[in-house]
């Protein structure tokens, strides 16, 4: 397992997980609202949504609150993060089926929509492409897929500019300064980060069309694309 994924199986880290994304990802709550709006454009109130990297349950909770009829299949390799998702969902837990594993362990669908938030940057390019293809295969024709993760220009100069901004934003948002700096070191050492152009190409190669950026915030980008 990539060392950067180990905290998702550490009960102490998982217990604090929900504090992290709002501090490290500018506009995190708005990202959820935009995701719900983009899905609702094409998905009926009874829609069935595939959520890859569903650990923690934060996006499933936001989507469940946005549309009371949607149901979810959440897939994540971390049992601890799935247990947190169950707790986060609370009264909505009955609307989500949780599957421990990778995309291959998820149901075949067909789904009305899919999301993969703050997750695809953990996957090397080939596995990212394969995973996107497997998501595409599980969607109905024309169904929306919302992806958002770390993606920014990758020249040495751009990395030297943007990674400290990632850390500074987290500290300015209340993250522990040492933890934020350690997060940057871990990101630099362990992630195969791609540029937005490379990420968009992967989505197209996976079969998606109308690959449309809708979110850009420091080191983060989000796209909606259609199966
Ligand atoms: C930063 S968390 C994001 C969780 C959630 N999507 C959110 O926005 O709060 C990344 C999650 O991706 C999961 N993960 C790691 N590799 C994965 C893979 N190949 N497929 C699906 N999930 C994966 C981790 O276990 C972890 O729960």
């Amino acid at each position: 397992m990539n060392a950067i994924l180990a905290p998702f199986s550490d009960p102490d880290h998982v217990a604090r997980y929900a504090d992290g994304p709002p501090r490290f990802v500018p506009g995190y709550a708005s990202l959820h609202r935009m995701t719900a709006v983009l899905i609702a454009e094409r998905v009926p109130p009874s829609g069935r949504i595939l959520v890859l990297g569903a650990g923690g349950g934060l996006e499933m909770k936001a989507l469940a609150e946005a549309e009371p009829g949607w149901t979810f299949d959440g897939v994540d390799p971390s049992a601890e993060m799935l247990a947190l998702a169950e707790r986060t969902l609370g009264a909505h837990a009955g609307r989500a089926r949780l599957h421990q594993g990778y995309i291959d362990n998820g149901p075949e669908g067909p789904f009305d929509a899919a999301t993969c938030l703050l997750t695809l940057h953990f996957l090397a390019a080939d596995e990212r492409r394969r995973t996107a293809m497997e998501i595409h295969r599980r969607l109905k024709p024309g169904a929306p897929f919302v992806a958002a993760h770390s993606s920014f220009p990758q020249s040495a100069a751009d990395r030297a500019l943007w990674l400290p901004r990632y850390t500074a934003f987290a500290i300015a948002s209340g993250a522990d300064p040492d933890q934020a700096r350690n997060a940057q070191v871990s990101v630099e050492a362990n992630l195969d980060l791609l540029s937005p152009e490379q990420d968009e190409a992967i989505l197209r190669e996976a079969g998606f069309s109308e690959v449309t950026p809708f979110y850009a915030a420091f080191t983060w980008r989000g796209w909606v694309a259609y199966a």
Side-chain angles (χ1 to χ4, degrees), residues 3 36 41 45 63 70 88 104 127 160 181 187 196 202:
E41 282 176 352
L63 295 173
W70 287 344
T88 300
D104 314 279
E127 180 61 8
R181 283 189 282 269
V187 165
I202 282 178

Side-chain angles (χ1 to χ4, degrees), residues 5 8 17 28 53 55 59 76-78 81 102 117-119 123:
L5 292 173
F8 297 122
Y17 174 76
Y28 183 65
E59 67 267 55
D76 197 291
S78 163
M81 287 292 281
Y102 299 89
L117 303 185
L118 315 191
T119 297
L123 281 59

Side-chain angles (χ1 to χ4, degrees), residues 105-146:
N105 305 103
E108 290 289 308
F111 290 94
D112 297 294
T115 69
C116 191
L117 303 185
L118 315 191
T119 297
L120 284 176
H121 55 238
F122 292 114
L123 281 59
D126 285 349
E127 180 61 8
R128 205 178 296 202
R129 187 179 300 103
R130 189 190 77 81
T131 296
M133 289 173 81
E134 288 297 318
I135 294 170
H136 182 273
R137 197 171 66 72
R138 287 168 169 77
L139 288 171
K140 293 178 183 171
F145 171 44
V146 178

Side-chain angles (χ1 to χ4, degrees), residues 140-187:
K140 293 178 183 171
F145 171 44
V146 178
H149 51 265
S150 183
S151 180
F152 59 98
Q154 291 299 314
S155 73
D158 282 314
R159 286 172 66 94
L161 184 63
W162 286 104
L163 285 166
R165 288 175 174 171
Y166 157 85
T167 305
F169 180 83
I171 293 170
S173 303
D176 175 77
D178 286 338
Q179 281 179 8
R181 283 189 282 269
N182 287 342
Q184 179 183 332
V185 169
S186 185
V187 165

Side-chain angles (χ1 to χ4, degrees), residues 8-54:
F8 297 122
S9 299
D10 171 0
D12 289 338
H13 176 89
V14 170
R16 298 188 306 273
Y17 174 76
D19 295 337
R23 289 180 170 146
F24 281 83
V25 183
Y28 183 65
S30 295
L31 176 60
H32 287 166
R33 281 199 291 277
M34 288 185 277
T35 299
V37 166
L38 291 166
I39 291 174
E41 282 176 352
R42 303 222 185 172
V43 172
S46 60
R48 188 177 169 205
I49 301 174
L50 173 65
V51 179
L52 186 67

